[in-house]
Amino acid sequence: MAKLLIQTQGFENRSLELRLGVNRVGRDEANDFPIPHPSVSTHHCELIFSSDGVVLHDLDSTNGSFVNGQPVSEVWLERGQRVRLGQIELFVEDTGISVSIPQFERAVPPPKPPLVLEDGSFVCPRHPDLLATFKCTKCGEVMCSGCVRMMRRQGGQPLFLCLLCHNKSERIITEKAKAKKGLFGFLQDTVRFKFGGRPKD
């Protein structure tokens, strides 16, 4: 079964034994795996475990998620890699599944129209306690991370598919993510101007 070992001092002998589906990690006790450390965000990341492996998805955490020292936002984990959440170090012991799960298509009842909150975000039609994080590019269906279907691509980012029409789905970009991206873009442009000189006309 997929398992990550915490190796930071004070958290030794603790492990994250993932269950199938979405496993939420963060400082808040409501997470599936709470890690009470100040460098870990309240809701830091998701570890999405399927028959294809484990995907780490950073939830716009303050101090970031890293795999083998490289900052990541969404990536497949491999056995033997080292993951850092804030200042918490973990070792990926295994990403496989030890039980045989029969593959079959099941009828999915049509969901109710999604609830739209005041800030413009959607509530998952099937999980009213979760926000929708994906939207189908064809039928427009919105889904949370637990509803969307993942497909693994060789050497690339995971492909997310709609659970209704099986077409490509994309992440819903939140206002928080837009603000964070805008800040990083500004800093990147500032550094490029400082070291690259004034652009030629």
Side-chain angles (χ1 to χ4, degrees):
M1 215 62 172
K3 185 176 181 181
L4 286 79
L5 305 177
I6 301 181
Q7 298 187 319
T8 301
Q9 186 176 3
F11 293 87
E12 299 96 332
N13 302 320
R14 283 192 56 185
S15 63
L16 281 59
E17 297 187 21
L18 307 183
R19 58 175 175 75
L20 285 171
V22 180
N23 299 262
R24 293 175 177 83
V25 182
R27 196 173 64 250
D28 195 287
E29 286 292 327
N31 288 289
D32 299 299
F33 296 101
I35 301 179
H37 192 276
S39 69
V40 176
S41 293
T42 305
H43 304 289
H44 198 100
C45 70
E46 293 176 340
L47 296 171
I48 308 169
F49 181 31
S50 71
S51 57
D52 287 328
V54 178
V55 169
L56 184 154
H57 171 62
D58 184 81
L59 297 174
D60 297 322
S61 61
T62 301
N63 294 314
S65 299
F66 299 79
V67 174
N68 289 345
Q70 298 299 314
V72 298
S73 59
E74 191 164 62
V75 66
W76 288 98
L77 296 182
E78 301 292 344
R79 185 175 182 178
Q81 288 180 327
R82 296 191 177 277
V83 174
R84 178 162 58 84
L85 308 178
Q87 296 176 10
I88 298 296
E89 300 282 347
L90 302 98
F91 176 76
V92 182
E93 184 177 85
D94 196 3
T95 60
I97 189 167
S98 58
V99 295
S100 176
I101 301 179
Q103 300 294 321
F104 61 91
E105 292 291 329
R106 61 173 181 168
V108 179
K112 298 177 182 178
L115 174 65
V116 182
L117 302 180
E118 291 183 2
D119 63 359
S121 58
F122 295 97
V123 174
C124 177
R126 286 153 293 275
H127 300 96
D129 56 329
L130 298 175
L131 289 179
T133 51
F134 289 89
K135 184 174 183 178
C136 179
T137 57
K138 184 174 182 180
C139 72
E141 176 65 14
V142 296
M143 300 151 278
C144 68
S145 297
C147 291
V148 73
R149 300 293 181 249
M150 291 190 303
M151 178 178 291
R152 186 164 191 165
R153 293 186 289 187
Q154 185 68 30
Q157 296 293 320
L159 178 65
F160 299 98
L161 303 177
C162 175
L163 85 166
L164 295 182
C165 69
H166 307 294
N167 283 283
K168 181 181 178 182
S169 296
E170 295 180 344
R171 284 199 176 274
I172 298 173
I173 305 299
T174 62
E175 291 302 320
K176 179 180 177 182
K178 288 180 182 177
K180 186 174 182 181
K181 183 177 180 181
L183 175 61
F184 283 141
F186 171 76
L187 293 175
Q188 186 179 36
D189 290 342
T190 302
V191 171
R192 185 182 298 115
F193 176 76
K194 182 176 180 180
F195 292 101
R198 187 180 300 275
K200 296 181 180 179
D201 293 331

